[in-house]
């Protein structure tokens, strides 16, 4: 592959194996926490089935992503290979529309992951407010959310300054603190007899559910929200340029995380509904795990659960923090963001991208509304998956990529599978989640979400101006090596 990296954009370092990539991605099973009480609001106990189907959807999608990640081992997951596939080779015009499409996909993806930081910081502030009366007497819940976000972003920034390997160590610690108690809390109610299967079998769908266009659109929107959580383990592929052996490490990390996600999502939702019933879940929509812990373990169990949930949220914030920063770094390398976002320190950490992600989320924290943040996040993530699957189809069909070595290959016919799920995402789930957002938060905040997504256009236009200015100042090999012109694809050595 020819050199496409911008002047000023630095390479990431290959320092982790599949187990360390899995440790960082293990925050993904915890993405179910904000939606444990959300999905049953619309589909009652059928939420269990939707979670299972969504993780299975993730297996179909991530099989395509695993092939792309090993075909383009120097790119950072979805945002990297989509930009690479859609970029037009030997483009001589003013603006490359294919490059813009790839950049938009990376922007959608980075925004979807980045907003996780703000969402879970708000939730942590809420938990702290309820857990410690002394804090509640000093700070408002909103102030605690801002303070929590600031402390967490600074702390994670310090840890990850020294490279992805240290972030993996923190991932191991947080996973042990959060996932083990979560597993116990999920299994214990079945062992103690607190789960009543009639709460599940007797409440599969709401009594007023009908298969009209209104409810079908809601269902597509629910699948988009569920995908935002249950398919997010594709983040294990984002660290492609940092795996020691991408062809082996990427598929292992992806599928290991997917298996964990399947059992986590199905069993956690089944436990919550089985213990509390649908009405009990709706009475405690923010964190139904707390009354489950109280029912099984008493007050002490409730305290332990809150501590576990806070650790879990820090783990998923770390997953999102690293994923979003790698997206920004990848965009800078591909010429879709100013080249300053591609800067790395001597440890191979894209520190400018890390700081930018933290600053962006501090701004989101001032909004203070999880639904408003999710309005842009869910739409962006669904679009990113759809475009990424179309990129897989293009990479399989375009003769320009025929000579590339593919250490991992999806089964025969996966191009058709990818196209089907791409169309499921765009337009079906996108239309559904927009409709759902309009019902829940109104069109004003929904349009605000679109405005956040559209911010990429002026940034991209500025970046293209920056590239042309740099080309005008350069001569010889540097100018010829610019990503805007004379780009060719060769098989990886």
């Amino acid at each position: 592959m020819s050199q496409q990296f911008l002047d000023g954009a630095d390479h990431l370092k290959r320092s982790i194996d599949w187990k360390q990539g899995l440790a960082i991605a293990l925050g993904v099973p915890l993405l179910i926490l904000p939606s444990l009480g959300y999905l049953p609001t619309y589909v009652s106990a059928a939420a269990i089935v939707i979670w299972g189907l969504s993780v299975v959807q993730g297996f179909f999608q991530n099989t395509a992503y695993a092939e792309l990640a090993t075909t383009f081992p120097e790119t950072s997951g979805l945002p990297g290979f989509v930009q690479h596939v859609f970029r037009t080779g030997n483009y001589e015009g003013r603006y490359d529309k294919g490059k813009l499409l790839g950049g938009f996909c990376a922007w959608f993806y980075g925004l979807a992951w980045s907003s996780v930081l703000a969402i879970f910081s708000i939730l942590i502030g809420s938990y702290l407010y309820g857990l410690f009366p002394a804090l509640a007497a000093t700070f408002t819940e909103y102030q605690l959310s801002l303070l929590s976000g600031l402390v967490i972003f600074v702390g994670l920034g310090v840890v990850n300054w020294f490279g992805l390997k240290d972030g993996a160590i923190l991932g191991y610690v947080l996973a042990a603190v959060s996932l083990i108690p979560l597993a116990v809390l999920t299994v214990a109610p079945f062992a103690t007899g607190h789960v009543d299967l009639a709460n599940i079998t007797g409440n599969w769908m709401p009594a007023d559910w009908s298969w009209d266009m209104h409810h079908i659109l809601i269902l597509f929107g629910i699948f988009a929200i569920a995908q935002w959580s249950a398919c997010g383990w594709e983040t294990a592929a984002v660290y492609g340029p940092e795996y020691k052996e991408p062809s082996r490490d990427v598929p292992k990390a992806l599928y290991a995380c997917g298996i964990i996600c399947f059992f986590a999502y199905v069993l956690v939702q089944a436990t919550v509904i089985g213990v509390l019933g649908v009405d009990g879940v709706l009475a405690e929509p923010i964190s139904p795990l707390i009354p489950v812990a109280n029912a099984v373990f008493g007050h002490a169990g409730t305290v332990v659960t809150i501590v576990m949930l806070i650790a879990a949220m820090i783990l998923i914030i770390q997953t999102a923090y690293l994923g979003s920063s790698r997206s920004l770094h990848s965009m800078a390398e591909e010429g879709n963001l100013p080249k300053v976002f591609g800067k790395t320190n001597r440890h191979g950490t894209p520190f400018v991208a890390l700081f930018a992600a933290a600053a962006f989320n501090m701004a989101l924290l001032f909004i203070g509304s999880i639904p408003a943040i999710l309005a842009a996040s869910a739409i962006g993530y669904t679009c990113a998956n759809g475009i990424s699957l179309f990129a897989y189809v293009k990479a399989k069909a375009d003769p320009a990529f025929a000579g590339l070595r593919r250490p991992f290959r999806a089964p025969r016919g996966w191009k058709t599978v990818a196209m089907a799920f791409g169309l499921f995402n765009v337009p079906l789930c996108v239309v559904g989640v927009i409709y759902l957002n309009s019902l829940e938060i109104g069109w004003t905040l929904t349009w605000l979400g679109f405005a956040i997504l559209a911010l990429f256009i002026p940034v991209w236009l500025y970046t293209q101006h920056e590239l042309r200015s740099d080309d005008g100042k350069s001569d010889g090999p540097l100018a010829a090596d610019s990503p805007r012109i004379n780009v060719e694809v060769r098989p990886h050595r």
Side-chain angles (χ1 to χ4, degrees):
M1 183 175 62
S2 63
Q3 291 292 328
Q4 78 270 19
F5 300 108
L6 298 181
D7 179 31
D10 305 320
H11 292 279
L12 302 172
K13 291 186 177 180
R14 297 194 179 279
S15 61
I16 63 171
D17 58 23
W18 73 270
K19 295 185 290 294
Q20 292 165 316
L22 172 62
I24 296 170
L26 273 179
V28 174
L30 306 168
L31 279 172
I32 193 175
L33 295 180
S35 301
L36 271 175
Y38 178 82
L39 263 63
T41 302
Y42 288 98
V43 293
S44 297
I48 301 169
V49 178
I50 289 178
W51 286 124
L53 290 175
S54 295
V55 178
V56 171
Q57 176 187 348
F59 275 101
F60 282 107
Q61 295 180 171
N62 290 338
T63 297
Y65 300 156
E67 180 175 333
L68 284 175
T70 57
T71 305
F72 305 104
E74 301 297 331
T75 61
S76 295
L78 268 68
F81 54 67
V82 172
Q83 292 174 94
H84 191 82
V85 168
F86 281 115
R87 187 184 58 206
T88 304
N90 299 316
Y91 188 78
E92 299 289 348
R94 184 177 178 85
Y95 297 117
D96 181 353
K97 296 181 179 63
K99 182 178 179 179
L100 176 60
L101 177 61
F104 247 124
C105 179
W107 177 258
F108 290 157
Y109 184 80
L111 179 63
W113 269 112
S114 183
S115 61
V116 171
L117 281 70
I119 290 169
F120 279 88
S121 295
I122 293 172
L123 287 176
I124 287 175
S126 177
Y127 280 112
L128 291 175
Y129 187 80
L131 183 61
F132 299 107
L135 288 177
T138 307
F139 301 99
T140 65
E141 189 171 334
Y142 174 72
Q143 290 170 335
L144 274 179
S145 296
L146 291 175
L147 186 59
S148 299
L150 180 61
V151 172
I152 292 169
F153 299 162
V154 171
L156 291 180
V158 171
V159 170
N160 289 286
W161 174 269
F162 299 98
L164 199 59
K165 197 170 183 178
D166 289 333
I169 294 173
L170 179 61
Y172 285 133
V173 174
L174 292 175
V177 172
S178 59
L179 290 179
I180 294 176
L182 180 62
V184 172
L185 183 58
T186 301
V187 175
F190 287 94
T192 59
H194 283 83
V195 172
D196 184 357
L197 292 180
N199 287 336
I200 298 173
T201 58
N203 295 278
W204 274 117
M205 293 297 287
D208 61 347
W209 183 271
S210 62
W211 293 98
D212 55 13
M213 185 56 65
H214 167 72
H215 285 91
I216 290 174
L217 286 174
I218 286 177
L219 188 60
F220 281 130
I222 288 295
F223 269 106
I225 297 295
Q227 177 182 215
W228 182 84
S229 301
C231 296
W233 41 282
E234 95 289 315
T235 188
V238 168
Y239 315 114
E242 294 167 271
Y243 284 114
K244 295 174 183 176
E245 297 185 39
S247 61
R248 183 191 66 182
D249 292 329
V250 171
K252 282 186 176 180
L254 276 173
Y255 290 127
C257 193
I259 292 170
I260 293 171
C261 282
F262 181 82
F263 288 102
Y265 279 83
V266 171
L267 288 177
V268 171
Q269 186 71 79
T271 298
V272 167
I273 295 178
V275 173
L276 304 178
V278 173
D279 291 338
V281 173
L282 300 185
E284 188 68 42
I286 300 299
S287 184
L289 279 176
I290 292 178
V292 170
N294 191 53
V296 178
F297 299 112
H299 176 71
T302 303
V303 175
V304 171
T305 300
I306 293 177
V307 173
M308 178 269 294
L309 289 174
I310 292 174
M313 291 176 196
I314 296 175
L315 176 57
I316 189 57
I317 287 174
Q318 153 135 309
T319 301
Y321 197 19
L322 296 177
S324 59
S325 64
R326 266 59 183 180
S327 296
L328 296 176
H329 177 272
S330 173
M331 292 175 72
E333 285 196 317
E334 292 287 347
N336 285 314
L337 277 183
K339 61 186 179 182
V340 67
F341 289 96
K343 290 287 187 180
T344 61
N345 63 16
R346 62 188 179 90
H347 303 286
T349 299
F351 66 97
V352 176
L354 278 175
F355 293 156
F360 175 72
N361 274 273
M362 284 305 299
L364 289 180
L365 280 174
F366 280 98
I367 297 176
S369 170
I370 290 178
I373 299 170
L374 274 172
S377 184
I379 296 171
Y381 185 72
T382 306
C383 288
N385 272 283
I387 297 172
S388 297
L389 292 167
F390 297 146
Y392 175 80
V393 174
K394 185 177 188 297
K396 296 288 281 187
D398 193 334
F401 301 106
L404 294 177
R405 190 170 68 90
R406 299 172 186 266
F408 173 84
R409 286 182 178 269
R412 185 183 299 273
W414 219 254
K415 184 170 68 172
T416 303
V417 173
M419 177 61 76
F421 278 99
L423 293 173
F424 176 71
N425 279 286
V426 181
L428 297 180
C429 286
V430 171
V431 172
V433 75
I434 291 172
Y435 182 73
L436 195 58
N437 281 336
S438 69
L439 295 177
E440 291 187 344
I441 62 176
W443 281 107
T444 300
L445 288 178
T446 301
W447 281 111
L448 176 61
F450 284 126
I452 294 173
L453 294 173
L455 281 176
F456 176 67
I457 295 177
V459 174
W460 188 81
L461 292 174
Y462 169 80
T463 303
Q464 305 318 298
H465 174 74
E466 179 184 64
L467 290 176
R468 287 195 302 273
S469 298
D470 288 346
D471 284 346
K473 297 175 183 177
S474 304
D475 53 50
L478 182 60
D481 210 25
S482 168
R484 186 171 58 86
I485 60 175
N486 196 31
V487 175
E488 58 178 328
V489 179
R490 296 174 182 167
H492 289 290
R493 296 292 188 267

